Amino acid sequence: MTTRTEPDALLLLLGPRPGRDVGRWLQAGLRAAVADGRLEAGAVLPSSRDAAAALGVSRGTVTTAVDVLVGEGLLVARPRSGVVVAALPAPPSGRAGTAAPHPGGAAPGVEPGSGPRPAPGARPVSVGTPDPALFPRAAWARAVRDGVRGLADADLGYPDPQGLPALREALAVHLRRARGAHVAAEDVVVVSGVAQALSLLARLLTAGRVAGARPAGPVRVAVEDPSSRGALELLRDAGLHAVGVPADVEGLRADLLPDDARAVLVTPAHQFPRGVVLGPARRRALLAWAAAGDRLVLEDDYDAELRYDREPVASVQALDPERVVLLGSVSKLLSPALRLGWVVAPPRVVGPLVEAKRHADLGTSVPEQAALAALLGSGAYQRHLRRARLVYQRRRRLLLDALAHALPGVEVGGVAAGLHLVVPLPGPAAERAAVTGLLAAGVPAEPLSGTGVDRHESGVVVGTARVRDGDVERVVRVLRAASLTGSEKLVR
Amino acid sequence: MTTRTEPDALLLLLGPRPGRDVGRWLQAGLRAAVADGRLEAGAVLPSSRDAAAALGVSRGTVTTAVDVLVGEGLLVARPRSGVVVAALPAPPSGRAGTAAPHPGGAAPGVEPGSGPRPAPGARPVSVGTPDPALFPRAAWARAVRDGVRGLADADLGYPDPQGLPALREALAVHLRRARGAHVAAEDVVVVSGVAQALSLLARLLTAGRVAGARPAGPVRVAVEDPSSRGALELLRDAGLHAVGVPADVEGLRADLLPDDARAVLVTPAHQFPRGVVLGPARRRALLAWAAAGDRLVLEDDYDAELRYDREPVASVQALDPERVVLLGSVSKLLSPALRLGWVVAPPRVVGPLVEAKRHADLGTSVPEQAALAALLGSGAYQRHLRRARLVYQRRRRLLLDALAHALPGVEVGGVAAGLHLVVPLPGPAAERAAVTGLLAAGVPAEPLSGTGVDRHESGVVVGTARVRDGDVERVVRVLRAASLTGSEKLVR
């Protein structure tokens, strides 16, 4: 099975090198050769140096192409034997969400709740779900092995409900570097995803155990409008009253935050669903509001590391660690199937939160915590981030180029980051047509109107993580047809 | 490092074969040789056939000895290379609970709450914690690898909050076989340990979403007296009113269950802390009480598989699957650090429970669920159970023999199963002396009076999982001294 591919054979496979777009030619050629079996599963590619020489391209062009195809699961980088052609993935299982996806009400780390029920056996695919084909299965298994091997016997009893110290330390280092957060290990609480963090914090707010005593009526919490349906459902389930505050092209209208709210849930790095960054003046207004009434800012940092245009936008938490609670998880970068997240909070929140976590489930699985610590410590997490970013950036670029061509008057939202885009549409009929058409095409989608709290706009939130080259045309066709539905505002 | 040990060399190591107690001689000799380095880490043992021939013992004696030492972590069974001497475990880390354990209020799967606070950095060790040295680290890492490899891409999105279908199927098979439960995959909800199950069920009871509508006052739930402090704390935290019902030598006095309780939390296979089995007449009375008022029986099956005297006692659930909710986890058999458990419940409970689980954390980690499914499916779980049982049985036998000798008048409770024993003591001063002395000796212990709800007896609950040969004398000395404290009832 370990055919060694000669450098010159690559040139034969790929055909003549074009005058420009060499990177795209190399990637497309390799992808096609793997897909149709000319490059067999198990075949070993030549070194980047040899391949670059044979093809007459730079080594960087080769390594970028290899990174992209590794990210797509078509190639596998093995420590000693080099880059190998992957076995093609198995077809989706019977209960797979990919075969018959359902609208989700996807959210910053929070899954669907309301909305149409999925058919029995089918799982909805949220618009914020990463491409599962990119999940580094082998690297995760190795991280579990290494992490478990490194645990002390004492770590294998009942867990520390705040989280494994080694992971809290690794997260503090990572969040300082990658998010500019102001954090030490003792400020971190490990949780089973952002959904659990929200659920626990919501209960603490309801009980008056953080941000002021329990009032007579329900505790009020401000949320962005539009916002995540899943997060809204969690807050309401915990007994909170969610008050919508408009979010526009600069994010949350912090000047409109109500005085009677105890906290606000906000997505500063990448507003959900608009995909915009909270502007500097808004950040100042947000923190002034919090300081004026001992209120809490819950900063949902759900996909802040997936930025394509520039370095990540720093977190708000660093500006006021006493009032901002930073929430994050591995859901967008690794997989939401892992249920691993973190909260960075001031001491007056950490104490009650750890108690709440203990009462909820005693703590998060120690072997998984050890694995994430190993992944962060070895740099494998950061390498995976770079690869995933390359793959997603390329897919979005193709889709956005095609949309710009097909819908020239339409301003697509949220292009700079994340796993979803927002396409405004002329009305509810167009919205329905777009959602239905995209779901039928196997693309996660949800109505923009469904993300509204008090106000409802028409449009569609499109999950882009799995939109590959071959899917672009279909997606564009659906969106173009929908934009022509039920309105005079025709887009030509 | 892979020294092959010759069969005859074993005889030299072990010295002359005694006339009787050949199994004990072999185990003790091998243990000593590994401990003092005469058998080096990495050395490969001869086959059981060769060893048996050289030593003049049966092959069964050899394989039993090997199983015990594998269970103790001194030997490692490798699929192809045979049995290898393990590298000696690292000394406990600075924050290890073994070095400075604290009383815990240990529980059927539920960790300490009230009671003395642990020193900063130290973690309390619950009396129900298994020996972490027995945790099969390599087998768990392999199970994660195999489990993750076998997942469909669709399984790597947001999880099914009810649990991975493959794991629910494997658990149903296992619980039918091992616990006689009446269960199919759709009756199973995967949870992050029994503590989470109790927390979610308690909230459903409080909200009147299972077992009757919400009453004006707090919902009442019956609990055994004595009982688990940790479980009590969880129930109370969720807003329930716990009503103590005496448990005696036949377990819960089911005839005394109050009419105004909506549910009862009970440990039929191994009462905590008494360690007795719920008798047949009591089981019938329990189910009659449940049927008379549409009440729920929460059957905490926490260590039912760790029986030493005979086959496991069947679960109560099989007798009335419509009213009994069966709760279990891997905490006693693998590790409480894993946070993996299950609930078997009738449809009217499964529905609300899955919703509550979704609101709590969206579901349990899929890679861990896949790993447990792989462990159950390959038989590795069952093999580990057999090994662990052998090790614990041997340790308990040594301790019980020594106690019978040192405290001849005292009837030690809970000898037939589990990871703890109950030693009755003449009064509160004796209890304090026993708990303090055991904790100082590094043995998990808690006061029996602390497990009382309304009534308080004196005694000590002793965690036996880690009481090895060398510890027995110390434990017995502490208990004998304590039994002579503050009472005229001297034990000679």
Side-chain angles (χ1 to χ4, degrees):
Chain A
M1 282 299 278
T2 53
T3 332
R4 166 70 63 174
T5 310
E6 292 301 317
D8 288 340
L10 266 190
L11 198 54
L12 286 175
L13 278 174
L14 297 171
R17 176 186 173 290
R20 47 181 294 191
D21 276 337
V22 180
R24 183 175 293 194
W25 161 76
L26 180 55
Q27 290 169 34
L30 283 174
R31 199 177 287 116
V34 172
D36 64 20
R38 282 172 294 153
L39 275 173
E40 279 182 19
V44 180
L45 295 195
S47 73
S48 58
R49 180 192 304 265
D50 292 351
L55 299 172
V57 301
S58 75
R59 255 182 101 177
T61 303
V62 173
T63 54
T64 300
V66 165
D67 271 353
V68 168
L69 271 79
V70 165
E72 291 177 353
L74 297 174
L75 300 178
V76 178
R78 298 231 171 102
R80 276 167 301 274
S81 44
V83 176
V84 173
V85 177
L88 283 183
S93 78
R95 53 177 286 281
T98 36
H102 283 77
V110 178
E111 215 215 0
S114 51
R117 284 273 137 211
R123 299 279 314 144
V125 175
S126 140
V127 295
T129 306
D131 185 351
L134 299 194
F135 180 69
R137 296 177 191 234
W140 181 254
R142 278 196 303 274
V144 170
R145 185 196 63 196
D146 296 346
V148 166
R149 197 180 274 166
L151 288 172
D153 273 0
D155 294 323
L156 287 165
Y158 284 92
D160 180 343
Q162 186 173 355
L164 188 69
L167 175 58
R168 289 192 278 117
E169 189 53 63
L171 282 171
V173 170
H174 176 70
L175 293 170
R176 284 198 299 265
R177 277 188 201 150
R179 307 294 307 117
H182 184 93
V183 51
E186 63 262 32
D187 308 318
V188 178
V189 182
V190 178
V191 288
S192 301
V194 167
Q196 182 177 53
L198 280 181
S199 169
L200 297 177
L201 288 165
R203 283 185 198 285
L204 291 176
L205 283 163
T206 306
R209 294 187 59 202
V210 295
R214 189 176 188 157
V219 172
R220 296 163 73 84
V221 168
V223 296
E224 297 164 304
D225 190 357
S227 186
S228 144
R229 277 198 293 159
L232 271 176
E233 190 189 339
L234 286 191
L235 298 180
R236 287 172 177 155
D237 181 72
L240 292 177
H241 181 81
V243 185
V245 174
D248 60 22
V249 290
E250 279 192 76
L252 180 77
R253 286 283 306 271
D255 54 315
L256 298 181
L257 281 164
D259 280 348
D260 61 355
R262 292 285 172 87
V264 61
L265 175 60
V266 60
T267 50
H270 191 224
Q271 205 276 335
F272 188 89
R274 291 201 196 285
V276 298
V277 174
L278 188 66
R282 301 277 176 96
R283 291 179 180 228
R284 284 192 297 274
L286 174 68
L287 295 174
W289 172 83
D294 190 28
R295 304 183 182 104
L296 283 182
V297 174
L298 308 181
E299 178 177 20
D300 187 349
D301 208 39
Y302 68 110
D303 64 4
E305 295 188 86
L306 284 172
R307 288 206 73 81
Y308 311 120
D309 53 349
R310 56 186 187 276
E311 284 303 295
V313 180
S315 72
V316 173
Q317 188 270 350
L319 302 177
D320 190 352
E322 280 306 307
R323 293 194 182 78
V324 182
V325 176
L326 183 68
L327 313 172
S329 80
V330 303
S331 293
K332 306 303 175 192
L333 190 56
L334 291 175
S335 166
L338 276 174
R339 312 315 306 137
L340 265 175
W342 50 86
V343 177
V344 177
R348 76 196 143 98
V349 175
V350 164
L353 184 60
V354 171
E355 276 301 279
K357 171 72 177 162
R358 195 163 66 74
H359 286 143
D361 58 17
L362 302 186
T364 293
S365 164
V366 172
E368 295 227 313
Q369 292 190 67
L372 181 56
L375 219 55
L376 285 163
S378 71
Y381 185 87
Q382 296 80 348
R383 280 194 297 279
H384 180 69
L385 169 60
R386 285 195 292 274
R387 271 181 207 148
R389 205 153 38 190
L390 269 174
V391 173
Y392 292 137
Q393 181 170 30
R394 194 181 151 280
R395 290 184 185 167
R396 286 168 80 87
R397 184 40 50 209
L398 284 176
L399 180 59
L400 285 166
D401 287 352
L403 283 174
H405 190 73
L407 305 172
V410 175
E411 191 153 338
V412 176
V415 302
L419 300 173
H420 74 272
L421 294 172
V422 183
V423 181
L425 289 166
E431 183 178 276
R432 276 194 302 278
V435 171
T436 311
L438 289 172
L439 293 178
V443 175
E446 63 167 311
L448 182 59
S449 65
T451 64
V453 182
D454 297 319
R455 306 154 351 124
H456 296 277
E457 301 163 59
S458 293
V460 62
V461 188
V462 186
T464 59
R466 286 185 281 192
V467 177
R468 303 184 184 195
D469 296 19
D471 307 318
V472 167
E473 197 189 321
R474 228 170 349 156
V475 171
V476 169
R477 210 184 311 128
V478 168
L479 289 172
R480 185 157 207 282
S483 74
L484 299 171
T485 306
S487 166
E488 299 76 25
K489 289 173 65 184
L490 297 189
V491 179
R492 294 180 195 282
Chain B
M1 281 302 277
T2 54
T3 331
R4 166 73 61 176
T5 311
E6 290 303 316
D8 289 339
L10 266 191
L11 198 54
L12 286 175
L13 278 174
L14 297 170
R17 176 185 173 291
R20 46 180 298 191
D21 275 335
V22 180
R24 183 174 292 192
W25 161 76
L26 180 55
Q27 290 170 34
L30 282 174
R31 199 177 287 116
V34 172
D36 63 21
R38 281 171 294 152
L39 276 173
E40 278 181 18
V44 181
L45 295 195
S47 73
S48 59
R49 179 194 305 266
D50 292 352
L55 300 171
V57 301
S58 75
R59 253 182 101 179
T61 303
V62 173
T63 53
T64 300
V66 165
D67 272 353
V68 168
L69 271 78
V70 165
E72 292 177 343
L74 297 174
L75 299 178
V76 178
R78 298 234 170 101
R80 277 167 300 276
S81 43
V83 176
V84 173
V85 176
L88 282 183
S93 78
R95 55 178 284 280
T98 36
H102 283 77
V110 177
E111 216 216 358
S114 50
R117 284 272 137 211
R123 299 278 315 141
V125 175
S126 141
V127 296
T129 305
D131 185 351
L134 299 193
F135 180 69
R137 296 176 192 234
W140 181 253
R142 278 196 303 274
V144 170
R145 185 196 61 197
D146 296 346
V148 166
R149 197 180 274 166
L151 287 172
D153 274 359
D155 293 324
L156 288 165
Y158 283 92
D160 180 343
Q162 186 172 356
L164 188 69
L167 175 58
R168 289 193 278 118
E169 189 55 61
L171 282 171
V173 170
H174 175 70
L175 294 170
R176 284 197 299 266
R177 278 188 202 152
R179 306 294 305 118
H182 185 93
V183 51
E186 63 262 31
D187 309 318
V188 178
V189 182
V190 178
V191 289
S192 302
V194 167
Q196 183 177 52
L198 280 182
S199 168
L200 297 177
L201 288 165
R203 284 185 196 284
L204 292 176
L205 283 163
T206 306
R209 295 187 60 202
V210 297
R214 188 176 188 157
V219 172
R220 295 163 74 84
V221 168
V223 297
E224 297 164 304
D225 189 357
S227 185
S228 145
R229 276 198 293 159
L232 271 176
E233 189 189 340
L234 286 191
L235 298 180
R236 287 172 177 157
D237 181 71
L240 292 176
H241 181 81
V243 185
V245 174
D248 60 22
V249 291
E250 280 192 76
L252 180 77
R253 286 282 307 270
D255 55 313
L256 298 181
L257 281 165
D259 280 348
D260 60 355
R262 293 285 172 87
V264 61
L265 176 60
V266 60
T267 50
H270 190 224
Q271 205 276 334
F272 187 89
R274 290 201 196 286
V276 297
V277 174
L278 188 66
R282 302 276 177 96
R283 289 178 182 232
R284 283 193 297 275
L286 174 68
L287 295 174
W289 172 83
D294 190 28
R295 304 182 182 105
L296 283 182
V297 175
L298 308 181
E299 177 178 19
D300 188 349
D301 208 39
Y302 69 108
D303 64 5
E305 295 188 88
L306 284 172
R307 287 205 74 81
Y308 311 120
D309 53 349
R310 55 185 187 276
E311 284 304 294
V313 180
S315 73
V316 173
Q317 187 269 349
L319 303 176
D320 191 351
E322 280 306 306
R323 293 192 182 79
V324 182
V325 176
L326 183 68
L327 313 173
S329 80
V330 303
S331 293
K332 307 301 176 192
L333 191 56
L334 291 174
S335 165
L338 276 174
R339 312 315 307 135
L340 265 175
W342 49 86
V343 178
V344 177
R348 76 196 143 96
V349 175
V350 164
L353 184 59
V354 170
E355 276 301 279
K357 171 71 177 162
R358 196 163 65 73
H359 286 144
D361 58 16
L362 303 186
T364 293
S365 165
V366 172
E368 295 228 313
Q369 292 190 68
L372 181 56
L375 218 56
L376 285 163
S378 71
Y381 185 88
Q382 296 80 348
R383 280 194 297 280
H384 180 70
L385 169 60
R386 285 195 292 274
R387 270 180 208 150
R389 206 153 38 189
L390 269 174
V391 173
Y392 292 137
Q393 181 171 30
R394 194 181 151 281
R395 290 183 184 167
R396 285 166 80 88
R397 183 40 49 208
L398 284 177
L399 179 59
L400 286 166
D401 286 352
L403 284 174
H405 189 73
L407 305 171
V410 175
E411 191 154 339
V412 176
V415 303
L419 301 173
H420 73 272
L421 295 171
V422 183
V423 181
L425 290 167
E431 184 179 275
R432 276 195 302 277
V435 171
T436 310
L438 289 172
L439 293 178
V443 176
E446 62 167 314
L448 182 59
S449 65
T451 65
V453 182
D454 297 318
R455 304 152 353 121
H456 297 276
E457 300 163 61
S458 293
V460 62
V461 188
V462 186
T464 59
R466 285 184 281 191
V467 177
R468 304 186 183 194
D469 296 20
D471 307 317
V472 168
E473 196 191 321
R474 226 169 350 156
V475 171
V476 170
R477 207 183 314 129
V478 168
L479 289 172
R480 184 156 207 282
S483 74
L484 300 172
T485 306
S487 167
E488 300 75 26
K489 288 173 64 183
L490 297 188
V491 179
R492 291 174 200 285

